[in-house]
Amino acid sequence: MAGTVDLREVRESAAGDLDGLAGFAQQLVGQPFLFARPSYGDELTLHFGQLREPTSAKVKRPRGSFVLTLRGSVWQIDPGAGSNLVLSDTLTGTPLDLSALESHPPVTAGSLTVAVRPFADPESGGFGLYLAFSDQSRVVIRPDVSDLITEADPDLPRLADWELFTPHDRVLRVGPGANWSYTPLK
Amino acid sequence: MGRKRDLKQVDAVCREFDLDAETELEFRDFLHECKESGDRGTANARGDFTMDELRTKAREFLGE
């Protein structure tokens, strides 16, 4: 059955609604992958769509019109035709400086995002995200459960598991847990 | 200490300064660009910023 998603809608709080989350996440389908870039704290960010200048004069580099931030998640990138699986956490692989993903992106720049599938992650009780691209590369993001086990940093706010900043003046914030929201950027 | 404590500290400072989502995203990039340019914090050998340093950076970023 056909349907529509209002990309300007606001959902302040939604818990456990995987179908609703999947609906808002679909706006990434068809967007070209631009680049991967580390942000503060060795957080990987993935940029899609069109290049967009920052609003603050204090920031030098442009970003994508869509930005996926991998906050409190573990992730892996399968470059498809390439041979090196890229993992956020590995005990056996070769250590990787995230800036290398900016100069040698594991997803081919310009590849189209062909599938975006949030999924219920049984280990964390939250939502992961699966992305597939036209160059056969794939990205899987899952909430990091290490803090759930240790109940670390009670003095600090818990991180979202991942976020999608959109050109529709909205940010999709997912986690911690099965909570998500779709709210204005400003 | 939990993993990604540095990210949580930035989130805490963004709340203190009541930053909206887009400003928060750019503040994170600003901090990263500061470190890349050699303007590093003293929290650890990686040059991360302490909470007080993050508050100073937030004022600098906001032009206060």
Side-chain angles (χ1 to χ4, degrees):
Chain A
M1 185 169 59
T4 63
V5 176
D6 178 2
L7 299 180
R8 300 281 297 176
E9 183 186 337
V10 172
R11 294 277 295 272
E12 292 288 350
S13 178
D17 180 7
L18 178 58
D19 290 341
L21 172 61
F24 286 117
Q26 293 315 298
Q27 60 189 290
L28 202 50
V29 173
Q31 296 299 326
F33 177 83
L34 294 176
F35 53 85
R37 186 163 73 198
S39 187
Y40 182 75
D42 273 344
E43 177 188 19
L44 186 63
T45 63
L46 304 178
H47 296 248
F48 305 80
Q50 309 300 315
L51 280 179
R52 192 170 184 169
E53 291 300 320
T55 57
S56 169
K58 298 278 188 181
V59 180
K60 298 185 179 75
R61 294 186 193 160
R63 64 175 188 269
S65 51
F66 291 87
V67 183
L68 182 62
T69 68
L70 308 191
R71 306 255 79 199
S73 290
V74 294
W75 47 264
Q76 73 175 55
I77 303 174
D78 179 346
S83 57
N84 289 328
L85 193 64
V86 186
L87 305 166
S88 61
D89 294 277
T90 177
L91 298 176
T92 58
T94 305
L96 177 72
D97 183 339
L98 286 184
S99 60
L101 298 181
E102 193 171 0
S103 51
H104 298 89
V107 179
T108 308
S111 297
L112 296 181
T113 311
V114 296
V116 178
R117 295 184 193 134
F119 59 88
D121 180 60
E123 191 178 14
S124 65
F127 294 116
L129 184 66
Y130 169 85
L131 302 173
F133 298 91
S134 59
D135 69 346
Q136 311 299 317
S137 58
R138 296 169 294 172
V139 176
V140 178
I141 299 160
R142 296 179 59 233
D144 185 348
V145 297
S146 57
D147 276 6
L148 293 179
I149 296 167
T150 60
E151 295 183 356
D153 303 324
D155 55 323
L156 294 171
R158 291 181 64 192
L159 289 176
D161 293 321
W162 48 275
E163 301 166 324
L164 178 64
F165 291 80
T166 82
H168 306 290
D169 294 325
R170 298 287 183 270
V171 57
L172 180 61
R173 276 198 165 122
V174 180
N179 299 301
W180 60 269
S181 62
Y182 186 71
T183 53
L185 282 178
K186 291 191 177 292
Chain B
M1 182 185 297
R3 297 185 67 195
K4 306 192 180 188
R5 182 174 173 83
D6 39 8
L7 300 187
K8 296 173 192 171
Q9 288 180 321
V10 173
D11 278 10
V13 169
C14 288
R15 290 185 188 187
E16 282 182 29
F17 283 79
D18 197 25
L19 302 189
D20 61 53
E22 185 169 34
T23 308
E24 184 178 338
L25 178 67
E26 293 196 351
F27 180 54
R28 295 179 210 160
D29 283 342
F30 168 70
L31 293 172
H32 184 69
E33 289 181 3
C34 284
K35 280 184 63 178
E36 276 189 325
S37 67
D39 180 6
R40 296 158 61 86
T42 62
N44 52 39
R46 296 190 305 274
D48 289 332
F49 298 103
T50 65
M51 284 292 283
D52 281 343
E53 289 169 340
L54 287 171
R55 293 183 183 104
T56 301
K57 282 291 172 196
R59 291 187 197 98
E60 178 186 341
F61 177 72
L62 296 170
E64 293 178 359

